[in-house]
Amino acid sequence: MRKSSIANRHDSAGDYEEEIFESDKPERVIIGVHGGGVRRWDGEKFFYAIAEHYTDSAIMLVDQNQQSGEFIKNNPLSIAIERINNLVTEAKKNHPGVPIIIIAHSFGCGVASMVNLNDIQSLVLVTPTAGSSYQSYIERHGKEAENGLQVTTSDGLKKEYTAAFMQSIKGITWEDTYTKLTKGSVPVYVFEAGSDEIIGPERYVLRDIPFKEYLILDGAPHNLSGKYLDDFFAKLDPLLHLAIPVKAGIKSKKSSIV
């Protein structure tokens, strides 16, 4: 298992942890942006798998949410965004001149779409959230959800959505945010899980957005593991290597991993 260092941090939302997997003379810095209601390792320890696969890279992870007893409390978007921006600043300081790549998963893709991308070489969105998260929570849990709620998911995760978090996502439709991304200079690569059991049919709308590359992992569930994780790395590897020279080189196309 690759060694990491964990630092305790504090901001207006409370105490949280930052975890760094260092590499001698890294080819790149990968900043992981995890999903909602979880901590930095995310579903199936997705970002730990990334750290094990890309040993030639420095991997930077941070908790965007708060541990609150047995629940994970979702912070407002502003807090989550600030923590990722702080990682970018730290990456530039510790590894000057090294390309910085953001890999985001699930709701983390929404967070990543709002961070400062000025110093980012490329952005990878994996099983991205879609539609209106606010409306989805209201439809699922009732109007009272806007005042905050605690839920236990089908896989046993205990999540808390505060009123401040709900207010921070109100009025956001993620397709609109992603479309704005494609008008910038940072290439955006998207991986859709073909059998996503968490993101609804809204994800199909993403296929029409002019991302640099859109790939469908056939049969994959929302949280990648096993052969689906292998498929993901097989397709991501050449994209990351091509992204190291100046932001160019890959033709836009729709692809499917079989």
Side-chain angles (χ1 to χ4, degrees):
M1 189 73 177
R2 189 174 172 188
K3 300 288 187 184
S4 67
S5 61
I6 296 177
N8 295 312
R9 305 295 190 204
H10 183 87
D11 59 16
S12 60
D15 297 325
Y16 63 97
E17 292 180 340
E18 175 185 298
E19 185 167 12
I20 309 296
F21 296 81
E22 280 295 356
S23 175
D24 293 334
K25 297 182 179 178
E27 292 269 335
R28 66 189 74 79
V29 177
I30 295 176
I31 293 177
V33 187
H34 67 69
V38 293
R39 293 181 63 188
R40 60 189 179 276
W41 40 81
D42 214 352
E44 300 288 343
K45 297 191 174 180
F46 176 65
F47 289 106
Y48 284 3
I50 287 175
E52 289 299 314
H53 185 78
Y54 292 111
T55 56
D56 62 349
S57 304
I59 312 295
M60 305 183 71
L61 310 176
V62 67
D63 291 329
Q64 297 154 59
N65 304 320
Q66 301 300 117
Q67 189 79 44
S68 179
E70 60 180 345
F71 283 84
I72 302 294
K73 182 170 65 176
N74 278 40
N75 283 322
L77 272 178
S78 59
I79 295 293
I81 293 167
E82 180 182 31
R83 291 182 183 179
I84 299 302
N85 283 334
N86 288 343
L87 279 192
V88 174
T89 299
E90 188 175 339
K92 287 170 16 182
K93 176 183 176 182
N94 294 344
H95 302 285
V98 176
I100 302 172
I101 294 168
I102 290 180
I103 299 180
H105 179 250
S106 193
F107 185 81
C109 297
V111 175
S113 71
M114 295 184 166
V115 304
N116 185 344
L117 298 177
N118 287 340
D119 297 297
I120 303 304
Q121 190 79 15
S122 56
L123 174 61
V124 179
L125 306 181
V126 184
T127 64
T129 189
S132 167
S133 296
Y134 178 87
Q135 192 59 37
S136 176
Y137 292 136
I138 296 296
E139 291 173 358
R140 194 179 312 158
H141 303 291
K143 183 118 179 12
E144 61 274 15
E146 66 183 2
N147 299 316
L149 72 158
Q150 292 181 333
V151 299
T152 301
T153 64
S154 58
D155 51 1
L157 297 177
K158 295 181 179 295
K159 306 181 180 184
E160 180 178 355
Y161 302 97
T162 65
F165 168 76
M166 291 295 293
Q167 188 62 34
S168 76
I169 62 173
K170 189 174 183 178
I172 295 175
T173 300
W174 296 115
E175 293 85 88
D176 296 338
T177 306
Y178 298 149
T179 298
K180 290 178 183 177
L181 279 181
T182 65
K183 297 177 181 178
S185 61
V186 177
V188 183
Y189 307 97
V190 179
F191 289 81
E192 176 195 311
S195 297
D196 200 318
E197 75 281 15
I198 294 178
I199 307 300
E202 300 95 330
R203 71 181 187 274
Y204 299 134
V205 179
L206 304 185
R207 299 179 181 184
D208 296 324
I209 297 175
F211 295 112
K212 188 71 173 179
E213 184 105 358
Y214 192 100
L215 305 107
I216 301 170
L217 300 166
D218 286 344
H222 185 74
N223 292 313
L224 306 179
S225 63
K227 75 183 189 70
Y228 303 114
L229 186 61
D230 292 340
D231 287 345
F232 167 70
F233 284 134
K235 203 64 178 177
L236 180 61
D237 287 350
L239 296 184
L240 291 195
H241 282 93
L242 285 170
I244 289 176
V246 186
K247 298 179 184 174
I250 304 176
K251 291 184 179 180
S252 178
K253 63 181 180 179
K254 306 293 181 180
S255 303
S256 177
I257 296 176
V258 181

